[in-house]
Amino acid sequence: MGIYLVSVGAQEWFADDEEEGGRGAVASALDEELRRRGLPAYTSVPEEADFVRGSGMSFEEKLVPPMDGFSALCRSHLSRAEEEVLCGWTLLVPLSLDEEIWLPVNSAHTDETMVAGAPQVLRLAERLATAVELPVDEIPAANDNLDLTMWFLDGPAKDLAATRPGPWSENLDTAFYVALYLRAAQHSLRRGCPIAYC
């Protein structure tokens, strides 16, 4: 149990059966809102790839650590509106959006779906990564099967913190969330897929 952040493939994205995990209602609502704004519909969702550990073709991470330190970091370095974009979305899409989109469709944990653009989320996550001097090159870039979660929880992060201390190592829970949002946005843009909570 718990809250996961996962990539969404075309079959799930366009399926209407919500009980089977289909997201057709949110896909339709998003396309309608994009058209209303004069933007093209989002139809180029890739098929879910077969699982191959380390391939970087899918995204799955679990939100385990407490978020208190991360919330404080956001308040220190982002405006309230920027914090809402970075932390408030329930659906991340690889589209550039001038502002978030609110859809009257249930998401996994809320009564509405807040859609944010991955380019905007990436820029904000990169600012936080710079602020804490996150060792980006050392942190898992493939997130197929809780790679980032395990890296922070099972020891490698603590080991690196001992040899490469910095602001990031002062609160590994905070660093985890900086890395999580950074990698989620990067994955969405690289694969052209949505990222959602489940």
Side-chain angles (χ1 to χ4, degrees):
M1 296 300 291
I3 299 175
Y4 290 81
L5 204 52
V6 299
S7 53
V8 178
Q11 184 173 346
E12 178 184 342
W13 181 251
F14 295 110
D16 290 326
D17 191 345
E18 290 183 35
E19 291 184 10
E20 296 296 321
R23 298 179 187 267
V26 74
S28 296
L30 176 60
D31 284 346
E32 183 177 328
E33 181 59 24
L34 290 171
R35 281 191 291 270
R36 192 186 70 75
R37 296 180 181 206
L39 299 170
Y42 174 44
T43 57
S44 58
V45 180
E47 291 292 343
E48 185 174 341
D50 292 335
F51 176 73
V52 177
R53 181 175 290 283
S55 70
M57 297 298 285
S58 59
F59 189 97
E60 179 186 11
E61 295 292 351
K62 186 175 183 179
L63 284 68
V64 179
M67 294 189 77
D68 298 346
F70 180 69
S71 296
L73 179 71
C74 289
R75 287 192 300 272
S76 297
H77 294 276
L78 305 176
S79 70
R80 182 69 190 103
E82 289 171 333
E83 183 180 357
E84 179 68 13
V85 169
L86 179 65
C87 305
W89 58 267
T90 51
L91 179 67
L92 186 67
V93 292
L95 309 173
S96 185
L97 301 174
D98 291 338
E99 59 184 11
E100 64 271 24
I101 295 175
W102 289 92
L103 302 174
V105 180
N106 290 348
S107 64
H109 304 283
T110 62
D111 294 335
E112 292 180 295
T113 297
M114 195 272 251
V115 184
Q120 287 72 31
V121 168
L122 179 60
R123 282 196 294 272
L124 296 172
E126 287 174 337
R127 278 173 51 191
L128 295 183
T130 298
V132 299
E133 299 175 18
L134 192 71
V136 177
D137 293 341
E138 306 289 338
I139 292 172
N143 305 92
D144 305 280
N145 190 352
L146 309 180
D147 299 289
L148 193 64
T149 304
M150 296 306 176
W151 192 84
F152 274 94
L153 294 182
D154 288 349
K158 294 180 184 71
D159 296 340
L160 185 63
T163 59
R164 287 187 56 190
W168 77 277
S169 64
E170 294 168 10
N171 187 328
L172 291 181
D173 292 346
T174 298
F176 167 77
Y177 285 105
V178 173
L180 177 72
Y181 286 108
L182 181 73
R183 294 302 191 217
Q186 289 172 336
H187 182 88
S188 177
L189 290 169
R190 185 174 66 251
R191 286 277 290 142
C193 69
I195 303 276
Y197 289 92
C198 69

